[in-house]
Amino acid sequence: METILIVDDERLIRWSLSEELSKEGYSTLTAETVKEAITRVRESMPELVILDLRLPDGTGIEALEAIKKIHPEVVVIVLTAEDKSSSAVQAMKLGAYDYLTKPVRVDELKLVIAKAL
């Protein structure tokens, strides 16, 4: 069973994505901050990370860099409320698998996850 880490500062998003992905048979973990995300990656080495770009203690770009140093093979899908192509390009250069804009459609996210894994 693949483990997916959901990193988002909004509790409702973490909860709803966790619920939806659990129904698909994935094991899910959640984190609210960059620091918490890094700890979860170190402890659990998830196969995939869903990462928001805006977090209370830093940026998703900073988190992406740190996560990839710890676990280079992990698949990272970036989520953001901002549709900034510069952030997308930067995230992709740092090894993000894909980039989705919020509000994300769950069916679209599930397809991207299935392809990525």
Side-chain angles (χ1 to χ4, degrees), residues 31-40 42 55 57 63:
E32 185 175 356
T33 64
V34 172
K35 186 178 179 186
E36 202 179 341
I38 291 167
T39 300
R40 294 265 187 285
R42 274 202 185 102
L55 298 166
D57 62 339

Side-chain angles (χ1 to χ4, degrees), residues 53 61 78 80-94 96 98-101:
L53 282 186
I61 296 294
V78 173
T80 185
E82 307 160 16
D83 191 13
K84 291 185 180 168
S85 59
S86 62
S87 299
V89 170
Q90 189 178 6
M92 299 305 264
K93 282 182 180 172
L94 291 171
D98 208 341
Y99 186 95
L100 301 173
T101 306

Side-chain angles (χ1 to χ4, degrees), residues 1 4 6 8 10 14 21-22 27 31 33 41-42 49 51 54 60 72-74 76 79 83 91 94 96 103 112:
M1 176 190 304
I4 297 176
I6 301 158
D8 199 296
E10 294 179 55
R14 289 193 310 271
L21 296 172
S22 294
S27 171
T33 64
V41 169
R42 274 202 185 102
V49 177
L51 179 64
R54 295 185 80 183
E73 311 83 47
V74 71
V76 179
L79 294 184
D83 191 13
L94 291 171
V112 171

Side-chain angles (χ1 to χ4, degrees), residues 13 21 23 28 30 45 55 59 80 83 96 103-104 107 116:
I13 289 174
L21 296 172
K23 287 179 199 169
T28 61
T30 62
M45 295 301 232
L55 298 166
T59 68
T80 185
D83 191 13
V104 68
D107 56 336

